[in-house]
Amino acid sequence: MPEIVKPMDIEKRSFEIITELLGDRRLPPEVEPVVKRVIHTTADFDYADNLRFSDRAVERGVEALRGGCDIVTDTQMARAGINKTILGRLGGEARCFMSDPDVAAEAGARGVTRAMVSMEKAASLEKPCIFAIGNAPTALFALFDLIAAGKVRPALVIGAPVGFVNVVESKERIMAAGVPYIVAQGRKGGSNVAAAICNAMLYQIAR
């Protein structure tokens, strides 16, 4: 027989099961909510091992969100998955420039990806930003170049592209960029993972 759980208790029970299945595994308190939120989103316990955090990454992300920073994504899916109610109350906005006509036109003219051009457009924002990348390795490569050129200083980079072409390399590059990061090391990731990491930090503030 299936376990009977009231609708409002499903998420709570899910996190209890995640804790049970982690067994004796003890996660550092700062990163535990992020790791468990990603596992909850994906049902993939590999994330207990492959999420990488720079020093005080979650703390820095929470501080930036409390300060009203924006979140820039590389997909509309990631943007849709972010809790914009909490983000808005903090004074922030979820942004994605991938569908903007000027981004598409410039990418076509230059023969580069829209993800690269959208990161360049985001670099002109005056507000501090968290960059949540869940699809395009070229977004991370572009961010690395923009950071190196002093054109952008992200409050945090969430690097979680999924796939096979340049995915691992882009994540390694962003971990060497000298900015706070949360990276799903290896080939796994996705827009849902990027959004889950953002939400894990937002929920810490809202609770």
Side-chain angles (χ1 to χ4, degrees), residues 2 25 44 46 63 86 88 100 110 138 141 146 172 179 181 189 195:
R25 177 72 179 269
D44 188 342
D46 284 354
E63 287 174 355
I86 300 173
D100 291 6
R110 290 166 51 189
T138 54
F141 284 126
L146 290 164
E172 295 294 334
V179 297
Y181 64 79

Side-chain angles (χ1 to χ4, degrees), residues 2 32 43 92 96 104 118 121 125 129 148 156 176 192-193:
E32 183 177 3
C96 180
S118 68
K121 183 171 181 175
L125 295 173
C129 291
L156 174 71
N192 58 336
V193 172

Side-chain angles (χ1 to χ4, degrees), residues 29-182:
E30 179 191 357
V31 308
E32 183 177 3
V34 174
V35 174
K36 288 185 174 180
R37 176 64 57 180
V38 172
I39 293 173
H40 175 262
T41 299
T42 62
D44 188 342
F45 282 81
D46 284 354
Y47 286 104
D49 296 306
N50 67 19
L51 284 179
R52 295 287 182 266
F53 300 81
S54 64
D55 183 48
R56 296 178 58 239
V58 176
E59 182 181 345
R60 292 172 188 269
V62 169
E63 287 174 355
L65 291 167
R66 286 187 189 277
C69 80
D70 287 348
I71 299 176
V72 176
T73 70
D74 66 328
T75 63
Q76 296 294 348
M77 181 183 293
R79 180 182 177 276
I82 292 168
N83 190 311
K84 288 173 282 296
T85 300
I86 300 173
L87 182 61
R89 286 204 300 261
L90 297 169
E93 182 180 349
R95 298 172 175 266
C96 180
F97 301 119
M98 290 287 286
S99 302
D100 291 6
D102 59 331
V103 169
E106 183 171 349
R110 290 166 51 189
V112 299
T113 67
R114 287 183 296 160
M116 294 181 69
V117 178
S118 68
M119 294 300 106
E120 294 168 0
K121 183 171 181 175
S124 66
L125 295 173
E126 295 183 1
K127 292 182 68 176
C129 291
I130 290 174
F131 288 82
I133 309 304
N135 182 69
T138 54
L140 291 184
F141 284 126
L143 275 176
F144 180 87
D145 291 341
L146 290 164
I147 292 164
K151 294 181 178 179
V152 68
R153 191 70 182 174
L156 174 71
V157 177
I158 296 167
V162 59
F164 299 94
V165 179
N166 291 325
V167 168
V168 173
E169 295 83 354
S170 70
K171 295 173 180 179
E172 295 294 334
R173 184 76 61 87
I174 212 65
M175 287 193 289
V179 297
Y181 64 79
I182 301 173

